[in-house]
Amino acid sequence: MHKELNNLPVAVIGAGPIGLSAAVHLLERGYAPIVFEAGEKAGANLDRWGHVRMFSPWAYNMDPAAVALLKQKGWNAPAASEFPTGKELLDQYVTPLASHFEIARHLNLNTRIQSVSRLNHDVLRTKERDKAPFVLRVTGPDGERDIMAQAVIDASGTYQTPNWLGIHGIPALGEVSAADSITYGIPNILGSERMHYVNKSVLVVGGGHSAFNVLQDLILLAQQCKHMRVLWGVRSASVANIVRSPANDELQERRRLELRIQELIDQGQIEVITELEIEAIHRENGKLAVQSGSHLIPFVDRIIAATGFRPDLSVLAELRTSLDPATESPTRLAPLIDPNLHSCGSVPEHGQAELSHPEPGLYILGIKSYGRAPTFLLKTGYKQVLSAVSALGTSETPANIAACSAATVTTCRG
Ligand SMILES: Cc1cc2nc3c(=O)[nH]c(=O)nc-3n(C[C@H](O)[C@H](O)[C@H](O)COP(=O)(O)OP(=O)(O)OC[C@H]3O[C@@H](n4cnc5c(N)ncnc54)[C@H](O)[C@@H]3O)c2cc1C
């Protein structure tokens, strides 16, 4: 017998800023959330890039509904116009929210969702599918168990699944074997990971703001030690568009970073390698040799892959998702965010209609909803949550949820 769907909780995968926001909105609407977080604390992914300064200010980075909840308990809001680091966002917003008793009692830490399906239904089976609860396979401190839910919000992020260096989208030949000399993401070069970079030659790969952050920190380190060499490899034929944000950009921190990188290149502090198409990486005399067509790339000690992230969709393999084959974002959202079609800029309104799947009650929200597109901002994610949670329990068709659609604006992080 199926349990009455409405009596079941709504499962939220991930206690990052978006998963916690989902919990707040679910509570507001009378749902019982059950939040699963693989890390030992909420915001585990933020912790990994805690040293990076965000280019959106506090006012953009917090969900107004969560702020209202926090204020009931005497929490002091940070200055709206200041730009937090990832760690400051964690310490001053995410951790207080996750510790708020209304949220904390629904939060399961050190608990990973391995897979999601529908009770007695593999992905092929249609009959009475919509009436079947979701089943989440959970591993946590008490071992393995199955949890049933009436709906699932997957806000599990992408930081844990970075893109490869290889030009074909799969690992370059030798990339996996060279893993101990490659860092994916944005390492803490001036802090805990400094020893890996002091007096080393380092190749940074990637054309977006994550690479800019890494380059900026490497140059600061290079200014403190004598024998560093900083190389920057991009796929494009030139780096003429480094300063790509408009002078009146709302996100001034982003433009400041672009101007700084342009300045460092003009000063010759960063060596630029264009048309980098990494096919193979191998070791020679303790150094890394990078093969890119007929290019001659200098040997380096380390590589930093600031090449973006991709969603882990394996968890949802037994559900009927509708995902764009290129961006891996929900099909109707894809044309709005596809980097092949848009450079940075505003994205038309989107909400539940663009975020829904053939599987009613399933939403992928937050940065994971953007798949491989690099343009997600928290401000957008909070509006996604509002729209998706508002639509739960309706028949969730575009006609029914028009009123729930949320205006969203997004800009590049890359
Ligand atoms: C370096 C960097 C800088 C950024 N700067 C900005 C900025 O300036 N402004 C802005 O608006 N956005 C910025 N972003 C983008 C985005 O806002 C952040 O990535 C944000 O953390 C996304 O929130 P999220 O809740 O969607 O995902 P995450 O914060 O990644 O949270 C996902 C959570 O899910 C957990 N999880 C993963 N898998 C499972 C599982 N199977 N089971 C249970 N739990 C799981 C993870 O441990 C994690 O805690 C930046 C991103 C990066 C990487």
Side-chain angles (χ1 to χ4, degrees):
M1 283 278 284
H2 296 171
K3 273 196 181 180
E4 244 334 290
L5 266 185
N6 292 344
N7 295 335
L8 293 172
V10 175
V12 179
I13 311 177
I18 299 303
L20 292 174
S21 163
V24 172
H25 285 270
L26 288 166
L27 285 168
E28 272 188 353
R29 289 189 170 257
Y31 292 99
I34 179 165
V35 184
F36 301 101
E37 169 54 50
E40 61 186 24
K41 61 181 172 187
N45 278 352
L46 285 183
D47 210 19
R48 297 189 169 99
W49 54 270
H51 55 286
V52 179
R53 188 156 302 281
M54 300 181 76
F55 52 55
S56 54
W58 276 108
Y60 283 34
N61 299 336
M62 300 184 292
D63 181 347
V67 166
L69 182 71
L70 284 166
K71 280 188 171 165
Q72 289 169 8
K73 288 282 155 205
W75 167 82
N76 288 323
S81 60
E82 286 179 10
F83 298 85
T85 60
K87 181 158 173 26
E88 286 163 351
L89 183 70
L90 182 63
D91 291 347
Q92 295 175 47
Y93 172 70
V94 169
T95 303
L97 185 56
S99 314
H100 190 292
F101 77 95
E102 288 282 6
I103 303 296
R105 63 203 175 105
H106 301 288
L107 184 54
N108 297 267
L109 298 174
N110 296 305
T111 307
R112 177 174 292 278
I113 300 302
Q114 302 290 355
S115 48
V116 188
S117 187
R118 284 217 188 241
L119 190 67
N120 299 334
H121 288 70
D122 61 20
V123 73
L124 186 63
R125 188 158 182 231
T126 301
K127 193 176 173 207
E128 301 205 315
R129 185 175 187 87
D130 297 359
K131 298 193 184 89
F134 288 92
V135 179
L136 294 97
R137 174 65 47 82
V138 174
T139 49
D142 303 326
E144 194 180 51
R145 62 195 166 125
D146 283 344
I147 300 282
M148 285 199 277
Q150 60 170 292
V152 173
I153 293 176
D154 181 352
S156 60
T158 55
Y159 200 76
Q160 59 279 8
T161 40
N163 286 325
W164 298 103
L165 285 165
I167 187 65
H168 314 304
I170 56 178
L173 289 168
E175 181 173 348
V176 174
S177 315
D180 58 352
S181 300
I182 302 171
T183 304
Y184 296 87
I186 308 186
N188 191 351
I189 291 161
L190 299 172
S192 57
E193 292 166 80
R194 181 187 163 98
M195 69 283 197
H196 295 308
Y197 303 99
V198 169
N199 287 329
K200 296 280 166 44
S201 53
V202 185
L203 170 64
V204 180
V205 181
H209 292 85
S210 296
F212 294 179
N213 273 305
V214 169
L215 289 164
Q216 178 177 246
D217 285 357
L218 280 173
I219 295 299
L220 279 173
L221 186 62
Q223 287 164 354
Q224 297 161 24
C225 41
K226 284 192 181 129
H227 304 293
M228 274 187 70
R229 188 171 178 191
V230 178
L231 301 103
W232 178 31
V234 291
R235 195 187 286 199
S236 56
S238 94
V239 289
N241 72 336
I242 290 175
V243 183
R244 50 190 85 149
S245 311
N248 62 351
D249 190 16
E250 294 183 278
L251 306 177
Q252 278 301 314
E253 270 298 296
R254 180 176 62 179
R255 188 172 159 83
R256 186 202 58 71
L257 182 60
E258 293 166 357
L259 289 166
R260 177 68 183 139
I261 296 303
Q262 183 67 65
E263 184 183 36
L264 292 171
I265 290 172
D266 294 345
Q267 292 168 354
Q269 298 200 52
I270 297 172
E271 297 174 51
V272 177
I273 302 167
T274 53
E275 297 180 321
L276 181 73
E277 298 185 341
I278 300 182
E279 291 157 6
I281 300 168
H282 60 269
R283 285 184 202 281
E284 249 178 77
N285 301 325
K287 301 260 185 188
L288 294 177
V290 174
Q291 187 188 320
S292 164
S294 54
H295 267 56
L296 274 181
I297 314 289
F299 286 77
V300 292
D301 297 300
R302 288 198 71 84
I303 303 176
I304 298 175
T307 41
F309 304 91
R310 56 180 66 180
D312 175 6
L313 297 168
S314 62
V315 174
L316 305 177
E318 282 305 310
L319 296 178
R320 296 183 179 181
T321 51
S322 170
L323 296 167
D324 178 71
T327 58
E328 298 185 316
S329 62
T331 309
R332 279 170 286 180
L333 175 59
L336 311 182
I337 59 173
D338 186 340
N340 293 296
L341 307 175
H342 308 280
S343 56
C344 304
S346 61
V347 164
E349 289 187 8
H350 76 264
Q352 187 275 348
E354 290 77 13
L355 294 162
S356 61
H357 294 274
E359 197 80 72
L362 170 70
Y363 289 100
I364 303 172
L365 302 182
I367 197 164
K368 188 169 182 175
S369 71
Y370 272 43
R372 298 191 188 203
T375 48
F376 176 80
L377 287 180
L378 286 169
K379 191 178 176 191
T380 304
Y382 297 137
K383 289 182 174 173
Q384 289 182 341
V385 170
L386 179 64
S387 179
V389 172
S390 306
L392 281 180
T394 68
S395 63
E396 298 178 48
T397 61
N400 282 332
I401 48 65
C404 306
S405 273
T408 52
V409 174
T410 187
T411 42
C412 280
R413 176 95 215 173

